[in-house]
Amino acid sequence: MERPHERRQDRPLIRDGSETFGPVLQLALRFGTLALLFGWCFTIVQPFLTSILWGLIIAIASHPLFIRLCAALNGRTATAATLFVVLALTLLVLPAMLLADTLVNSLKLLAHHMADGTLRLPPPPATVRGWFLVGEPLYSFWMLASTNLDQAISSVASELTWAGKWMLGSATGVLLGILEFVVAIFVAAVLMANATSGQRIAGDVVTRLAGSGGLGYADLAVRTIRSVSKGIIGVALIQSLLAGLGFLAADIPAAGLLALLCLIIAIVQLPLAIVLVPVAIYAFTLLDPMPAVIFAVWCAGVSLIEHVLRPIMLGRGVDVPMLVVFIGAIGGLLSSGVLGLFVGPVVLALGYTLILHWLEAEPARALEVEERRTDRPAAE
């Protein structure tokens, strides 16, 4: 019979490391292959990532409406998805294209008048001179432009060149944003038509990532997306569309640009009076008294309608600080263009809400574990 000390002597004193190196190499190859695959997939999807993300947000926010639409159509999901696309394009994209068309026409008309020398500006009111800080230089430049427009333009030629380049880039960004919006609407329709399998996959993913509490985080994410998209983005869209229709009815120049400015201001939670009050004042110099008064009342209603719509559309949503929405809107606009203006607040609000909930849940979970540990000896 072999003794223990003899077995110990038969073992090699130095190992070649192959038993340890083999599994480590396999694990490294697996992770490397997965990283390469995910990186490649991300590179392919990256040009459409903002549109896909916005489509997902639209799908989550519109899913309750889509369910009622399916019920009205006797459960015909494909028909409901097609009808959703038609309604979304009619309500959102067509007014945006109409406003963009008015902007292009206004710029063409301005260029035509400047080319043939028929552009004339009225002299400034005397009250302009009394405006704080900007009154005197603005009055002098306005007076020069009303008497000698060519000299006034030549004095600010470099600034006009920069502004022209900025406006051209902005117009290109707006058109690209409209195209991405159309893609997002189709993505949302596809996601809602396959909502059952999508919810199952999403539930599996969040359970893998967050364990048993993953479904709670998923429900919180859905409520946050619906709250921000309806209470902030939805109200801003309604206000900007109503303001744009008012600009079109009053024949205000650059109605599309003004409507886009209203949209940005409404999303970042600033008062629309910043744009509407100067435009209403200008309308009194452009229109007859009665149409100007009607337009001013319309602007006042558009500015105040948020106080009625926001409580209705927020519902039992999640409270998000306005600073988070402001940073998300500005950051999204700078990083992803016009569509980022919508996606940014929702994504940042979602991240803020989930991190805050996680920070609040961890101490409570630790306290529960500690109570169980202290109660165990007493029970024994």
Side-chain angles (χ1 to χ4, degrees):
M1 181 177 181
E2 187 180 15
R3 296 180 181 180
H5 69 275
E6 293 176 350
R7 291 199 305 268
R8 198 179 301 117
Q9 290 177 354
D10 292 338
R11 294 177 182 174
L13 297 178
I14 301 176
R15 297 187 179 183
D16 58 359
S18 60
E19 297 179 359
T20 306
F21 183 73
V24 172
L25 179 60
Q26 291 180 1
L27 189 62
L29 288 175
R30 289 174 183 174
F31 277 105
T33 304
L34 286 176
L36 179 61
L37 179 61
F38 284 129
W40 200 351
C41 291
F42 178 78
T43 303
I44 295 173
V45 177
Q46 187 177 8
F48 310 97
L49 190 60
T50 306
S51 298
I52 294 173
L53 187 58
W54 181 233
L56 178 62
I57 293 171
I58 294 176
I60 293 175
S62 306
H63 190 245
L65 177 63
F66 183 78
I67 291 177
R68 289 195 289 269
L69 187 60
C70 286
L73 295 173
N74 298 322
R76 289 179 288 184
T77 306
T79 306
T82 305
L83 185 59
F84 171 81
V85 170
V86 173
L87 290 175
L89 292 177
T90 304
L91 295 176
L92 298 177
V93 177
L94 288 182
M97 295 181 66
L98 179 61
L99 292 173
D101 183 63
T102 60
L103 175 59
V104 173
N105 291 334
S106 299
L107 292 177
K108 288 181 178 179
L109 183 62
L110 177 62
H112 173 72
H113 285 308
M114 291 184 66
D116 59 12
T118 58
L119 182 63
R120 295 289 183 269
L121 295 178
T127 55
V128 174
R129 181 174 288 178
W131 291 0
F132 182 67
L133 291 179
V134 300
E136 189 62 35
L138 179 60
Y139 181 86
S140 301
F141 180 79
W142 193 341
M143 180 61 73
L144 178 62
S146 64
T147 56
N148 192 340
L149 183 60
D150 293 335
Q151 184 179 352
I153 291 175
S154 63
S155 65
V156 291
S158 59
E159 289 81 0
L160 287 177
T161 302
W162 176 86
K165 292 180 180 178
W166 178 81
M167 289 181 65
L168 181 61
S170 300
T172 304
V174 169
L175 294 176
L176 182 61
I178 293 175
L179 180 61
E180 291 179 334
F181 216 115
V182 173
V183 175
I185 289 174
F186 281 96
V187 170
V190 172
L191 290 176
M192 287 188 293
N194 299 275
T196 303
S197 59
Q199 288 176 352
R200 185 177 65 253
I201 294 173
D204 294 339
V205 170
V206 296
T207 303
R208 286 280 188 178
L209 294 176
S212 58
L215 295 179
Y217 283 103
D219 178 68
L220 179 64
V222 169
R223 288 191 289 115
T224 302
I225 291 174
R226 287 177 180 169
S227 175
V228 176
S229 59
K230 291 181 179 179
I232 296 175
I233 308 297
V235 173
L237 280 171
I238 293 174
Q239 283 187 291
S240 61
L241 287 176
L242 292 176
L245 292 175
F247 297 153
L248 290 175
D251 200 18
I252 301 295
L257 181 61
L258 291 173
L260 177 61
L261 190 59
C262 288
L263 177 63
I264 297 174
I265 289 176
I267 289 179
V268 300
Q269 302 298 290
L270 294 176
L272 274 187
I274 297 174
V275 177
L276 296 181
V277 169
V279 174
I281 294 174
Y282 173 76
F284 278 94
T285 66
L286 181 70
L287 305 174
D288 294 331
M290 183 56 66
V293 170
I294 295 175
F295 177 73
V297 172
W298 177 269
C299 291
V302 171
S303 180
L304 297 175
I305 197 174
E306 63 173 328
H307 301 291
V308 178
L309 290 178
R310 184 161 294 143
I312 297 175
M313 300 184 73
L314 277 176
R316 60 179 190 92
V318 181
D319 293 329
V320 179
M322 289 300 104
L323 181 61
V324 175
V325 177
F326 177 82
I327 295 175
I330 299 299
L333 180 63
L334 295 176
S335 62
S336 303
V338 176
L339 199 58
L341 182 67
F342 304 96
V343 177
V346 180
V347 173
L348 196 60
L350 176 61
Y352 169 84
T353 305
L354 291 178
I355 291 175
L356 193 64
H357 184 77
W358 175 72
L359 291 175
E360 292 174 353
E362 285 302 314
R365 191 176 303 162
L367 181 61
E368 182 181 354
V369 172
E370 185 64 24
E371 289 178 351
R372 290 179 180 177
R373 187 178 301 171
T374 55
D375 292 342
R376 189 178 302 167
E380 292 176 356

